[in-house]
Amino acid sequence: MTDSNSQTMNITIVGAGGMGSRFGLMLHQAGNSVSLVDGWQANVDAIRTAGLVARYNGREVVDRLPIYSPQEAGQLRPQVIILFVKSQQLDAMLEAIRPLIGPDTYLLCLLNGLGHEDIIKKYAAEDHIILGVTMWTAGMTAPGHVTLFGDGNVELQNLRPGEAAETFTKRLVTVLDEAGLNAVYSENVKYSIWRKACVNGTMNCLCSLLECNIGQYGRTSAAAEVIRRIVCEFAAVAACEQVQLDVDEVVAHITATFTADIADHYPSMYQDLVVNHRPTEIDFIDGAVWRKGQRYGVPTPYCALLTQLIHGKEELGRIRQEDSAIPLPLSRTDD
Amino acid sequence: MTDSNSQTMNITIVGAGGMGSRFGLMLHQAGNSVSLVDGWQANVDAIRTAGLVARYNGREVVDRLPIYSPQEAGQLRPQVIILFVKSQQLDAMLEAIRPLIGPDTYLLCLLNGLGHEDIIKKYAAEDHIILGVTMWTAGMTAPGHVTLFGDGNVELQNLRPGEAAETFTKRLVTVLDEAGLNAVYSENVKYSIWRKACVNGTMNCLCSLLECNIGQYGRTSAAAEVIRRIVCEFAAVAACEQVQLDVDEVVAHITATFTADIADHYPSMYQDLVVNHRPTEIDFIDGAVWRKGQRYGVPTPYCALLTQLIHGKEELGRIRQEDSAIPLPLSRTDD
């Protein structure tokens, strides 16, 4: 199992939440040399002590994967780093793991959202950046404990075309695929990234703002109309980046989730904001479209207001805590 | 105290909540003949039984005002009907009190929001409609119980200019003013109505969506920016109705409330939606600007999305109740 064996690789997974743990587990079980890096010390301690504990398609599996905090990881020299941190942690984490990134190191970004390449470019050359999108899901129930079920796939594409980069990435596709991750090299990952961003850019913020699950939002009368407005803004900005989204198809794809198995689910942004009172990835979804729209001269008022409302909700969690020391009577005002 | 006495009038107040009760009390104490009409039977019964009980500038006052349900009110023949129902109740209430509206009856509309004249025109001639705006406030704590404090004023103007109508309205101004309501005849009530609608069209929906009070919203980083975007949409539509709002002045007026006495207050829409789970007046504020904007070809995306979100929140109250019989586990989804 050396890194000259084209069937396996030396891989570091950065961000050992549900998704990072899934990929780490499956790649390790397929014979790759895998290390985890995570910023949450409780998670590092749990996995170091008891191994990664996974409820994996109904079976309990324990995998004693090596895991490091960012400060401990400096001696790792992976062929590829797979990024699975939250978008808002990406910059700081890449800064912390600079020692791992050499001139030959590839970085694979599988984060939801848009614009991550602008951050990664600060740490690696463009021809060593691989963009991807995945439909796999995963749940984390406690430090070192994940729940993995269902199916998924992964699409990869080099950020910048080039023979050496594509050769490596096609090897990586084989490695992922042989680990059961259903990987393909795509000629249009940017399209898939934008399409998935539309899903996140609609349901994540709407369910978080209105504190409901996907199916419940779908039962409100304006749901399809609001979703179409948001997707149209995404499409207008995507077109400026040479991605031609099929608005009707994307809207139909999103509205289909209202009555699918996923209808009972609360999106990850809801978990972050409403359940855990943590900052969201909004600046990498609707916020990114808003920023890009300003750059390209494309108006994106729905993305703008949704971003402003989500940030407002984030801030109000703290503001209400500050005020809760002073009980305020609920007064009726006819204004 | 007959209706030929120019100092007093025969008045029916329709909508005996906080504001209707305040006007009824003050006009009655000044010697006018005042009746109340209300659609809430518990309120009618309470006032009929024990009188209107008002905590009035700190003193307790009881006024045995005559009060009727709409069905009982048919024999009333007021010179003027002062409308204080919720906007969404206006149409149905006017239908119910048709017998009160004769060719000589004036209708004074003091409702918050926009577009009420389009409804009232179905029941009375335009030269018998008086529009107004008031800065008085009032609270209702229970059926027949109101809390009245602070100061205010009233501005009136005929919907359509005309000598007879203006003569009547100027008499009405005197009657209101002599009751302590600080009334004036204004040459530009439409401006005041739009300006007040901007206040309601910002703080009401934002505080209701984010479930906070005025001061708390003001402490979020995007507050001034969001308010400016909304006010600009109101201004663009108002201009199509020959009302030139001073955007900077209106924005400054609204942001001043963040740190005023009113900062601790939760707007009436919050009370309706979040506390009492009742439909809001959104269709007469941001929704009205959206509708008018569509008519005039003026884009109003902030008003549109706020209206859609508030309606979504209204509907989700009912949807969650339907679902609450089926307990759903809160599942983490890394999507």
Side-chain angles (χ1 to χ4, degrees), chain A:
Chain A
M1 196 165 52
T2 66
D3 57 359
S4 61
N5 179 347
S6 65
Q7 302 289 67
T8 65
M9 280 190 181
N10 181 353
I11 300 167
T12 297
I13 313 266
V14 173
M19 290 295 285
S21 296
R22 173 190 276 287
F23 275 62
L25 176 70
M26 293 172 74
L27 286 161
H28 189 219
Q29 291 195 333
N32 296 282
S33 175
V34 178
S35 306
L36 306 177
V37 177
D38 199 72
W40 186 17
Q41 194 60 46
N43 196 33
V44 173
D45 293 342
I47 293 175
R48 181 168 291 159
T49 310
L52 172 70
V53 179
R55 187 94 192 133
Y56 185 25
N57 296 329
R59 297 180 298 124
E60 178 145 307
V61 169
V62 178
D63 191 342
R64 301 203 70 90
L65 283 158
I67 184 164
Y68 306 87
S69 68
Q71 297 72 26
E72 297 168 333
Q75 82 284 3
L76 296 173
R77 293 293 177 268
Q79 290 169 279
V80 60
I81 293 169
I82 305 183
L83 296 164
F84 267 122
V85 288
K86 286 281 192 185
S87 303
Q88 58 271 39
Q89 300 164 336
L90 181 63
D91 206 355
M93 178 61 89
L94 286 171
E95 183 63 51
I97 61 159
R98 268 190 191 275
L100 280 68
I101 307 171
D104 299 325
T105 316
Y106 284 85
L107 278 73
L108 166 58
C109 176
L110 287 171
L111 275 56
N112 281 336
L114 304 161
H116 302 103
E117 60 272 20
D118 296 332
I119 293 175
I120 304 169
K121 278 192 254 189
K122 299 194 296 174
Y123 302 92
E126 283 191 38
D127 63 0
H128 277 71
I129 298 174
I130 308 165
L131 296 184
V133 62
T134 176
M135 300 310 292
W136 285 102
T137 60
M140 186 173 209
T141 52
H145 284 70
V146 296
T147 305
L148 312 175
F149 58 90
D151 268 318
N153 58 25
V154 192
E155 296 175 44
L156 312 189
Q157 186 182 15
N158 291 90
L159 178 61
R160 178 197 291 176
E163 196 183 328
E166 282 185 45
T167 300
F168 179 85
T169 300
K170 288 174 176 171
R171 274 186 57 200
L172 177 57
V173 165
T174 303
V175 164
L176 292 166
D177 205 49
E178 289 180 352
L181 287 159
N182 302 325
V184 294
Y185 188 90
S186 163
E187 294 300 332
N188 204 353
V189 147
K190 280 169 67 177
Y191 187 95
S192 300
I193 287 173
W194 272 97
R195 185 174 178 273
K196 190 175 190 198
C198 289
V199 180
N200 294 330
T202 48
M203 301 318 297
N204 277 21
C205 14
L206 293 165
C207 291
S208 301
L209 272 171
L210 297 173
E211 301 200 9
C212 62
N213 64 37
I214 290 169
Q216 289 170 332
Y217 182 72
R219 285 146 69 191
T220 64
S221 56
E225 196 176 337
V226 173
I227 282 159
R228 177 167 288 272
R229 291 284 290 251
I230 298 167
V231 173
C232 282
E233 289 184 6
F234 274 62
V237 173
C240 300
E241 299 190 350
Q242 293 77 49
V243 173
Q244 306 301 331
L245 284 174
D246 179 341
V247 170
D248 290 339
E249 188 279 324
V250 174
V251 170
H253 170 66
I254 296 168
T255 55
T257 62
F258 295 164
T259 48
D261 291 344
I262 204 176
D264 293 345
H265 289 218
Y266 294 78
S268 59
M269 187 179 288
Y270 177 102
Q271 305 286 343
D272 288 335
L273 182 54
V274 179
V275 178
N276 296 321
H277 308 294
R278 294 164 60 81
T280 70
E281 299 183 292
I282 189 74
D283 287 338
F284 292 86
I285 318 175
D286 305 73
V289 173
W290 180 21
R291 267 196 322 280
K292 290 170 183 274
Q294 288 171 320
R295 209 151 69 218
Y296 302 135
V298 174
T300 61
Y302 271 55
C303 287
L305 179 54
L306 287 167
T307 302
Q308 291 164 324
L309 288 170
I310 290 288
H311 279 316
K313 199 170 168 83
E314 288 170 344
E315 293 170 45
L316 279 160
R318 174 186 49 78
I319 288 167
R320 273 194 222 92
Q321 267 194 325
E322 287 169 11
D323 288 354
S324 64
I326 312 155
L328 296 169
L330 210 69
S331 59
R332 161 117 210 155
T333 303
D334 276 319
D335 48 32

Side-chain angles (χ1 to χ4, degrees), chain B residues 33-87:
Chain B
S33 174
V34 177
S35 307
L36 305 177
V37 177
D38 199 70
W40 186 18
Q41 194 60 45
N43 196 33
V44 172
D45 294 342
I47 293 175
R48 181 169 292 161
T49 308
L52 172 70
V53 179
R55 186 93 193 134
Y56 185 25
N57 297 330
R59 295 179 299 124
E60 177 146 308
V61 169
V62 179
D63 190 341
R64 301 203 71 90
L65 282 157
I67 184 164
Y68 308 88
S69 70
Q71 297 70 28
E72 297 167 333
Q75 82 287 1
L76 296 173
R77 292 293 177 269
Q79 290 168 279
V80 59
I81 293 168
I82 305 183
L83 296 164
F84 268 122
V85 287
K86 286 281 192 185
S87 302

Side-chain angles (χ1 to χ4, degrees), chain B:
Chain B
M1 199 164 50
T2 67
D3 58 2
S4 61
N5 179 349
S6 64
Q7 302 290 68
T8 65
M9 281 189 182
N10 181 353
I11 300 166
T12 296
I13 313 268
V14 173
M19 290 295 285
S21 295
R22 172 190 277 287
F23 275 62
L25 177 69
M26 292 172 75
L27 286 162
H28 190 220
Q29 290 194 334
N32 296 283
S33 174
V34 177
S35 307
L36 305 177
V37 177
D38 199 70
W40 186 18
Q41 194 60 45
N43 196 33
V44 172
D45 294 342
I47 293 175
R48 181 169 292 161
T49 308
L52 172 70
V53 179
R55 186 93 193 134
Y56 185 25
N57 297 330
R59 295 179 299 124
E60 177 146 308
V61 169
V62 179
D63 190 341
R64 301 203 71 90
L65 282 157
I67 184 164
Y68 308 88
S69 70
Q71 297 70 28
E72 297 167 333
Q75 82 287 1
L76 296 173
R77 292 293 177 269
Q79 290 168 279
V80 59
I81 293 168
I82 305 183
L83 296 164
F84 268 122
V85 287
K86 286 281 192 185
S87 302
Q88 57 272 39
Q89 298 164 337
L90 180 63
D91 205 357
M93 178 60 91
L94 288 171
E95 183 62 50
I97 61 156
R98 268 190 191 275
L100 281 67
I101 306 171
D104 299 325
T105 316
Y106 284 86
L107 278 73
L108 167 58
C109 175
L110 287 171
L111 275 55
N112 281 336
L114 304 160
H116 303 101
E117 60 273 22
D118 294 334
I119 293 175
I120 304 169
K121 278 193 255 188
K122 298 195 294 174
Y123 301 92
E126 282 190 40
D127 63 0
H128 277 71
I129 298 173
I130 308 165
L131 296 184
V133 62
T134 176
M135 299 310 291
W136 285 102
T137 60
M140 185 173 212
T141 51
H145 285 68
V146 296
T147 304
L148 312 176
F149 58 91
D151 267 319
N153 59 24
V154 192
E155 295 175 46
L156 311 189
Q157 186 182 15
N158 292 90
L159 177 62
R160 178 197 290 179
E163 196 184 327
E166 281 184 49
T167 300
F168 178 86
T169 302
K170 286 174 176 170
R171 273 184 58 200
L172 178 56
V173 165
T174 303
V175 164
L176 293 166
D177 205 50
E178 288 180 354
L181 286 159
N182 302 326
V184 294
Y185 188 89
S186 162
E187 293 301 333
N188 204 352
V189 147
K190 281 169 66 177
Y191 187 95
S192 300
I193 286 174
W194 272 96
R195 185 174 179 273
K196 192 174 186 200
C198 289
V199 180
N200 294 330
T202 49
M203 300 318 298
N204 276 21
C205 15
L206 293 166
C207 291
S208 301
L209 272 172
L210 296 173
E211 301 201 7
C212 61
N213 64 37
I214 290 169
Q216 289 171 332
Y217 183 72
R219 285 146 68 191
T220 64
S221 55
E225 196 179 335
V226 173
I227 281 159
R228 179 168 287 274
R229 291 284 292 249
I230 298 168
V231 173
C232 283
E233 289 184 6
F234 273 61
V237 173
C240 300
E241 298 191 351
Q242 293 76 50
V243 174
Q244 306 301 330
L245 285 173
D246 179 342
V247 170
D248 290 338
E249 188 279 325
V250 173
V251 170
H253 170 66
I254 295 168
T255 55
T257 62
F258 296 162
T259 49
D261 291 344
I262 205 175
D264 293 346
H265 288 219
Y266 293 78
S268 59
M269 187 178 288
Y270 177 102
Q271 303 287 343
D272 287 337
L273 182 52
V274 179
V275 179
N276 297 318
H277 308 292
R278 293 165 60 81
T280 70
E281 299 182 294
I282 189 73
D283 287 339
F284 291 87
I285 319 175
D286 305 73
V289 173
W290 180 21
R291 266 196 323 279
K292 290 170 182 277
Q294 287 171 320
R295 210 152 69 217
Y296 303 133
V298 174
T300 61
Y302 270 57
C303 287
L305 179 53
L306 287 166
T307 302
Q308 290 164 327
L309 288 170
I310 290 289
H311 279 316
K313 198 170 168 82
E314 288 170 344
E315 293 171 44
L316 280 159
R318 174 186 49 79
I319 288 168
R320 275 194 220 91
Q321 268 193 327
E322 288 169 9
D323 288 354
S324 65
I326 312 157
L328 295 170
L330 210 69
S331 57
R332 161 113 208 161
T333 302
D334 276 318
D335 48 32

